[in-house]
mmCIF file of all heavy atoms in Angstrom:
data_model
loop_
_atom_site.group_PDB
_atom_site.id
_atom_site.type_symbol
_atom_site.label_atom_id
_atom_site.label_comp_id
_atom_site.label_asym_id
_atom_site.label_seq_id
_atom_site.Cartn_x
_atom_site.Cartn_y
_atom_site.Cartn_z
ATOM 1 N N MET G 1 0.863 -1.177 0.000
ATOM 2 C CA MET G 1 0.000 0.000 0.000
ATOM 3 C C MET G 1 0.893 1.219 0.000
ATOM 4 O O MET G 1 1.836 1.302 0.786
ATOM 5 C CB MET G 1 -0.894 -0.005 1.247
ATOM 6 C CG MET G 1 -1.902 1.133 1.300
ATOM 7 S SD MET G 1 -1.361 2.526 2.285
ATOM 8 C CE MET G 1 -1.315 1.807 3.900
ATOM 9 N N HIS G 2 0.640 2.139 -0.922
ATOM 10 C CA HIS G 2 1.372 3.394 -0.966
ATOM 11 C C HIS G 2 0.484 4.459 -0.359
ATOM 12 O O HIS G 2 -0.614 4.707 -0.848
ATOM 13 C CB HIS G 2 1.731 3.757 -2.419
ATOM 14 C CG HIS G 2 2.694 4.887 -2.503
ATOM 15 N ND1 HIS G 2 2.292 6.193 -2.440
ATOM 16 C CD2 HIS G 2 4.034 4.899 -2.613
ATOM 17 C CE1 HIS G 2 3.349 6.980 -2.530
ATOM 18 N NE2 HIS G 2 4.421 6.214 -2.626
ATOM 19 N N PRO G 3 0.932 5.091 0.727
ATOM 20 C CA PRO G 3 0.075 6.080 1.388
ATOM 21 C C PRO G 3 -0.179 7.308 0.517
ATOM 22 O O PRO G 3 0.692 7.734 -0.237
ATOM 23 C CB PRO G 3 0.847 6.452 2.649
ATOM 24 C CG PRO G 3 2.236 6.006 2.413
ATOM 25 C CD PRO G 3 2.210 4.929 1.377
ATOM 26 N N LYS G 4 -1.396 7.856 0.638
ATOM 27 C CA LYS G 4 -1.729 9.103 -0.063
ATOM 28 C C LYS G 4 -0.948 10.226 0.604
ATOM 29 O O LYS G 4 -0.917 10.321 1.818
ATOM 30 C CB LYS G 4 -3.223 9.386 0.022
ATOM 31 C CG LYS G 4 -4.078 8.369 -0.696
ATOM 32 C CD LYS G 4 -5.552 8.651 -0.469
ATOM 33 C CE LYS G 4 -6.387 7.557 -1.101
ATOM 34 N NZ LYS G 4 -7.797 7.673 -0.770
ATOM 35 N N GLY G 5 -0.305 11.062 -0.186
ATOM 36 C CA GLY G 5 0.487 12.146 0.364
ATOM 37 C C GLY G 5 1.912 11.741 0.662
ATOM 38 O O GLY G 5 2.647 12.465 1.323
ATOM 39 N N GLY G 6 2.323 10.556 0.200
ATOM 40 C CA GLY G 6 3.699 10.113 0.426
ATOM 41 C C GLY G 6 3.921 9.636 1.846
ATOM 42 O O GLY G 6 2.982 9.350 2.579
ATOM 43 N N PHE G 7 5.161 9.560 2.231
ATOM 44 C CA PHE G 7 5.525 9.063 3.552
ATOM 45 C C PHE G 7 5.807 10.234 4.485
ATOM 46 O O PHE G 7 6.950 10.578 4.755
ATOM 47 C CB PHE G 7 6.732 8.129 3.443
ATOM 48 C CG PHE G 7 6.430 6.872 2.689
ATOM 49 C CD1 PHE G 7 6.626 6.794 1.317
ATOM 50 C CD2 PHE G 7 5.919 5.754 3.345
ATOM 51 C CE1 PHE G 7 6.332 5.629 0.619
ATOM 52 C CE2 PHE G 7 5.624 4.598 2.654
ATOM 53 C CZ PHE G 7 5.831 4.536 1.285
ATOM 54 N N THR G 8 4.740 10.855 4.969
ATOM 55 C CA THR G 8 4.850 11.988 5.885
ATOM 56 C C THR G 8 3.900 11.765 7.056
ATOM 57 O O THR G 8 3.081 10.843 7.031
ATOM 58 C CB THR G 8 4.455 13.315 5.187
ATOM 59 O OG1 THR G 8 3.061 13.265 4.864
ATOM 60 C CG2 THR G 8 5.278 13.552 3.920
ATOM 61 N N GLU G 9 3.989 12.629 8.057
ATOM 62 C CA GLU G 9 3.092 12.516 9.206
ATOM 63 C C GLU G 9 1.644 12.776 8.819
ATOM 64 O O GLU G 9 0.726 12.323 9.479
ATOM 65 C CB GLU G 9 3.525 13.485 10.307
ATOM 66 C CG GLU G 9 4.814 13.070 10.971
ATOM 67 C CD GLU G 9 5.200 14.006 12.102
ATOM 68 O OE1 GLU G 9 4.329 14.735 12.621
ATOM 69 O OE2 GLU G 9 6.381 14.001 12.461
ATOM 70 N N GLU G 10 1.426 13.539 7.739
ATOM 71 C CA GLU G 10 0.069 13.883 7.302
ATOM 72 C C GLU G 10 -0.509 12.870 6.315
ATOM 73 O O GLU G 10 -1.637 13.008 5.862
ATOM 74 C CB GLU G 10 0.041 15.264 6.638
ATOM 75 C CG GLU G 10 0.326 16.421 7.585
ATOM 76 C CD GLU G 10 1.817 16.605 7.866
ATOM 77 O OE1 GLU G 10 2.630 16.393 6.933
ATOM 78 O OE2 GLU G 10 2.168 16.925 9.001
ATOM 79 N N SER G 11 0.250 11.847 5.949
ATOM 80 C CA SER G 11 -0.219 10.903 4.931
ATOM 81 C C SER G 11 -1.415 10.106 5.433
ATOM 82 O O SER G 11 -1.607 9.911 6.631
ATOM 83 C CB SER G 11 0.903 9.968 4.503
ATOM 84 O OG SER G 11 1.316 9.174 5.575
ATOM 85 N N LYS G 12 -2.232 9.660 4.492
ATOM 86 C CA LYS G 12 -3.419 8.844 4.752
ATOM 87 C C LYS G 12 -3.236 7.495 4.075
ATOM 88 O O LYS G 12 -2.510 7.381 3.087
ATOM 89 C CB LYS G 12 -4.675 9.533 4.199
ATOM 90 C CG LYS G 12 -4.916 10.925 4.750
ATOM 91 C CD LYS G 12 -5.338 10.859 6.196
ATOM 92 C CE LYS G 12 -5.628 12.262 6.704
ATOM 93 N NZ LYS G 12 -5.394 12.400 8.107
ATOM 94 N N PRO G 13 -3.942 6.464 4.571
ATOM 95 C CA PRO G 13 -3.816 5.153 3.920
ATOM 96 C C PRO G 13 -4.234 5.205 2.454
ATOM 97 O O PRO G 13 -5.159 5.918 2.084
ATOM 98 C CB PRO G 13 -4.784 4.269 4.717
ATOM 99 C CG PRO G 13 -4.937 4.967 6.025
ATOM 100 C CD PRO G 13 -4.812 6.435 5.733
ATOM 101 N N GLY G 14 -3.525 4.455 1.634
ATOM 102 C CA GLY G 14 -3.856 4.349 0.219
ATOM 103 C C GLY G 14 -4.611 3.065 -0.049
ATOM 104 O O GLY G 14 -5.162 2.442 0.865
ATOM 105 N N ILE G 15 -4.612 2.635 -1.286
ATOM 106 C CA ILE G 15 -5.327 1.416 -1.706
ATOM 107 C C ILE G 15 -4.362 0.240 -1.659
ATOM 108 O O ILE G 15 -3.240 0.323 -2.159
ATOM 109 C CB ILE G 15 -5.878 1.598 -3.138
ATOM 110 C CG1 ILE G 15 -6.880 2.751 -3.162
ATOM 111 C CG2 ILE G 15 -6.514 0.311 -3.633
ATOM 112 C CD1 ILE G 15 -7.304 3.152 -4.562
ATOM 113 N N TRP G 16 -4.803 -0.861 -1.072
ATOM 114 C CA TRP G 16 -3.990 -2.073 -1.038
ATOM 115 C C TRP G 16 -3.976 -2.732 -2.411
ATOM 116 O O TRP G 16 -4.999 -2.809 -3.089
ATOM 117 C CB TRP G 16 -4.534 -3.050 0.001
ATOM 118 C CG TRP G 16 -4.214 -2.631 1.406
ATOM 119 C CD1 TRP G 16 -5.037 -1.971 2.260
ATOM 120 C CD2 TRP G 16 -2.993 -2.847 2.093
ATOM 121 N NE1 TRP G 16 -4.394 -1.756 3.449
ATOM 122 C CE2 TRP G 16 -3.130 -2.281 3.377
ATOM 123 C CE3 TRP G 16 -1.777 -3.443 1.763
ATOM 124 C CZ2 TRP G 16 -2.117 -2.311 4.333
ATOM 125 C CZ3 TRP G 16 -0.771 -3.475 2.713
ATOM 126 C CH2 TRP G 16 -0.939 -2.912 3.974
ATOM 127 N N ARG G 17 -2.824 -3.227 -2.807
ATOM 128 C CA ARG G 17 -2.629 -3.944 -4.073
ATOM 129 C C ARG G 17 -1.876 -5.240 -3.787
ATOM 130 O O ARG G 17 -1.240 -5.386 -2.754
ATOM 131 C CB ARG G 17 -1.809 -3.100 -5.061
ATOM 132 C CG ARG G 17 -2.409 -1.750 -5.375
ATOM 133 C CD ARG G 17 -3.650 -1.886 -6.191
ATOM 134 N NE ARG G 17 -4.102 -0.571 -6.658
ATOM 135 C CZ ARG G 17 -5.317 -0.301 -7.013
ATOM 136 N NH1 ARG G 17 -6.242 -1.233 -6.951
ATOM 137 N NH2 ARG G 17 -5.649 0.889 -7.429
ATOM 138 N N GLU G 18 -1.941 -6.170 -4.747
ATOM 139 C CA GLU G 18 -1.244 -7.450 -4.607
ATOM 140 C C GLU G 18 -0.168 -7.575 -5.674
ATOM 141 O O GLU G 18 -0.375 -7.202 -6.823
ATOM 142 C CB GLU G 18 -2.236 -8.613 -4.718
ATOM 143 C CG GLU G 18 -1.580 -9.949 -4.453
ATOM 144 C CD GLU G 18 -2.563 -11.075 -4.208
ATOM 145 O OE1 GLU G 18 -3.770 -10.904 -4.480
ATOM 146 O OE2 GLU G 18 -2.123 -12.128 -3.749
ATOM 147 N N ILE G 19 0.977 -8.116 -5.289
ATOM 148 C CA ILE G 19 2.126 -8.265 -6.178
ATOM 149 C C ILE G 19 2.224 -9.718 -6.639
ATOM 150 O O ILE G 19 2.080 -10.650 -5.846
ATOM 151 C CB ILE G 19 3.433 -7.891 -5.452
ATOM 152 C CG1 ILE G 19 3.331 -6.491 -4.836
ATOM 153 C CG2 ILE G 19 4.625 -7.999 -6.388
ATOM 154 C CD1 ILE G 19 3.101 -5.380 -5.821
ATOM 155 N N SER G 20 2.495 -9.896 -7.941
ATOM 156 C CA SER G 20 2.635 -11.252 -8.492
ATOM 157 C C SER G 20 4.100 -11.676 -8.495
ATOM 158 O O SER G 20 5.001 -10.888 -8.225
ATOM 159 C CB SER G 20 2.076 -11.305 -9.913
ATOM 160 O OG SER G 20 2.973 -10.691 -10.824
ATOM 161 N N VAL G 21 4.320 -12.938 -8.835
ATOM 162 C CA VAL G 21 5.665 -13.491 -8.936
ATOM 163 C C VAL G 21 6.530 -12.655 -9.882
ATOM 164 O O VAL G 21 7.689 -12.374 -9.610
ATOM 165 C CB VAL G 21 5.606 -14.961 -9.417
ATOM 166 C CG1 VAL G 21 6.980 -15.486 -9.793
ATOM 167 C CG2 VAL G 21 4.967 -15.834 -8.350
ATOM 168 N N CYS G 22 5.958 -12.218 -10.999
ATOM 169 C CA CYS G 22 6.708 -11.434 -11.991
ATOM 170 C C CYS G 22 6.797 -9.953 -11.629
ATOM 171 O O CYS G 22 7.360 -9.164 -12.371
ATOM 172 C CB CYS G 22 6.095 -11.592 -13.376
ATOM 173 S SG CYS G 22 6.293 -13.251 -14.045
ATOM 174 N N GLY G 23 6.229 -9.562 -10.481
ATOM 175 C CA GLY G 23 6.301 -8.178 -10.041
ATOM 176 C C GLY G 23 5.181 -7.302 -10.561
ATOM 177 O O GLY G 23 5.206 -6.090 -10.375
ATOM 178 N N ASP G 24 4.160 -7.902 -11.207
ATOM 179 C CA ASP G 24 3.015 -7.117 -11.671
ATOM 180 C C ASP G 24 2.124 -6.764 -10.477
ATOM 181 O O ASP G 24 2.129 -7.455 -9.453
ATOM 182 C CB ASP G 24 2.205 -7.896 -12.710
ATOM 183 C CG ASP G 24 2.954 -8.017 -14.033
ATOM 184 O OD1 ASP G 24 3.790 -7.149 -14.339
ATOM 185 O OD2 ASP G 24 2.693 -9.000 -14.761
ATOM 186 N N VAL G 25 1.345 -5.697 -10.631
ATOM 187 C CA VAL G 25 0.489 -5.205 -9.550
ATOM 188 C C VAL G 25 -0.971 -5.440 -9.922
ATOM 189 O O VAL G 25 -1.405 -5.084 -11.025
ATOM 190 C CB VAL G 25 0.748 -3.699 -9.304
ATOM 191 C CG1 VAL G 25 -0.125 -3.182 -8.171
ATOM 192 C CG2 VAL G 25 2.218 -3.444 -9.013
ATOM 193 N N TYR G 26 -1.746 -6.021 -9.003
ATOM 194 C CA TYR G 26 -3.146 -6.371 -9.221
ATOM 195 C C TYR G 26 -4.015 -5.791 -8.113
ATOM 196 O O TYR G 26 -3.547 -5.553 -6.999
ATOM 197 C CB TYR G 26 -3.327 -7.900 -9.227
ATOM 198 C CG TYR G 26 -2.707 -8.559 -10.423
ATOM 199 C CD1 TYR G 26 -1.374 -8.942 -10.424
ATOM 200 C CD2 TYR G 26 -3.450 -8.790 -11.578
ATOM 201 C CE1 TYR G 26 -0.790 -9.537 -11.537
ATOM 202 C CE2 TYR G 26 -2.880 -9.382 -12.690
ATOM 203 C CZ TYR G 26 -1.552 -9.747 -12.662
ATOM 204 O OH TYR G 26 -0.985 -10.330 -13.765
ATOM 205 N N THR G 27 -5.315 -5.595 -8.430
ATOM 206 C CA THR G 27 -6.275 -5.283 -7.374
ATOM 207 C C THR G 27 -6.377 -6.523 -6.491
ATOM 208 O O THR G 27 -5.981 -7.626 -6.892
ATOM 209 C CB THR G 27 -7.661 -4.940 -7.955
ATOM 210 O OG1 THR G 27 -8.143 -6.054 -8.715
ATOM 211 C CG2 THR G 27 -7.614 -3.688 -8.826
ATOM 212 N N LEU G 28 -6.916 -6.366 -5.286
ATOM 213 C CA LEU G 28 -7.013 -7.495 -4.371
ATOM 214 C C LEU G 28 -7.979 -8.550 -4.883
ATOM 215 O O LEU G 28 -8.975 -8.233 -5.534
ATOM 216 C CB LEU G 28 -7.474 -7.022 -2.989
ATOM 217 C CG LEU G 28 -6.533 -6.068 -2.264
ATOM 218 C CD1 LEU G 28 -7.093 -5.771 -0.875
ATOM 219 C CD2 LEU G 28 -5.126 -6.621 -2.172
ATOM 220 N N ARG G 29 -7.687 -9.804 -4.554
ATOM 221 C CA ARG G 29 -8.596 -10.908 -4.865
ATOM 222 C C ARG G 29 -9.803 -10.839 -3.943
ATOM 223 O O ARG G 29 -9.781 -10.141 -2.928
ATOM 224 C CB ARG G 29 -7.887 -12.250 -4.645
ATOM 225 C CG ARG G 29 -6.752 -12.495 -5.596
ATOM 226 C CD ARG G 29 -6.107 -13.825 -5.320
ATOM 227 N NE ARG G 29 -4.965 -13.668 -4.415
ATOM 228 C CZ ARG G 29 -4.209 -14.663 -3.988
ATOM 229 N NH1 ARG G 29 -4.473 -15.898 -4.343
ATOM 230 N NH2 ARG G 29 -3.204 -14.432 -3.176
ATOM 231 N N GLU G 30 -10.843 -11.585 -4.291
ATOM 232 C CA GLU G 30 -12.059 -11.612 -3.462
ATOM 233 C C GLU G 30 -11.731 -12.063 -2.041
ATOM 234 O O GLU G 30 -12.207 -11.510 -1.069
ATOM 235 C CB GLU G 30 -13.104 -12.528 -4.097
ATOM 236 C CG GLU G 30 -14.467 -12.401 -3.451
ATOM 237 C CD GLU G 30 -15.527 -13.137 -4.248
ATOM 238 O OE1 GLU G 30 -15.600 -12.940 -5.478
ATOM 239 O OE2 GLU G 30 -16.284 -13.889 -3.625
ATOM 240 N N THR G 31 -10.909 -13.098 -1.925
ATOM 241 C CA THR G 31 -10.357 -13.514 -0.633
ATOM 242 C C THR G 31 -8.861 -13.687 -0.840
ATOM 243 O O THR G 31 -8.401 -13.865 -1.975
ATOM 244 C CB THR G 31 -10.958 -14.846 -0.132
ATOM 245 O OG1 THR G 31 -10.612 -15.883 -1.064
ATOM 246 C CG2 THR G 31 -12.465 -14.753 0.018
ATOM 247 N N ARG G 32 -8.106 -13.647 0.231
ATOM 248 C CA ARG G 32 -6.644 -13.691 0.086
ATOM 249 C C ARG G 32 -6.137 -14.958 -0.581
ATOM 250 O O ARG G 32 -5.097 -14.940 -1.220
ATOM 251 C CB ARG G 32 -5.989 -13.512 1.452
ATOM 252 C CG ARG G 32 -6.107 -12.069 1.893
ATOM 253 C CD ARG G 32 -5.431 -11.777 3.176
ATOM 254 N NE ARG G 32 -4.009 -12.048 3.157
ATOM 255 C CZ ARG G 32 -3.279 -12.076 4.247
ATOM 256 N NH1 ARG G 32 -3.827 -11.860 5.415
ATOM 257 N NH2 ARG G 32 -1.992 -12.332 4.172
ATOM 258 N N SER G 33 -6.858 -16.065 -0.438
ATOM 259 C CA SER G 33 -6.378 -17.318 -1.015
ATOM 260 C C SER G 33 -7.163 -17.741 -2.261
ATOM 261 O O SER G 33 -7.024 -18.866 -2.729
ATOM 262 C CB SER G 33 -6.424 -18.431 0.035
ATOM 263 O OG SER G 33 -7.740 -18.595 0.498
#
């Protein structure tokens, strides 16, 4: 997850993403498994 506003005291949580074996970025699966 990359925080909104960067890595500062004022930052807010961003959107969680999932990383694949090849390093691609995906939206989250319906369930983790």
Side-chain angles (χ1 to χ4, degrees):
M1 184 263 294
H2 191 277
K4 295 175 185 172
F7 294 91
T8 66
E9 290 183 20
E10 293 80 36
S11 64
K12 303 289 182 209
I15 298 171
W16 285 98
R17 302 290 189 202
E18 185 165 13
I19 306 299
S20 75
V21 169
C22 292
D24 289 333
V25 181
Y26 291 87
T27 59
L28 297 184
R29 294 180 266 180
E30 191 170 311
T31 63
R32 286 183 60 192
S33 59

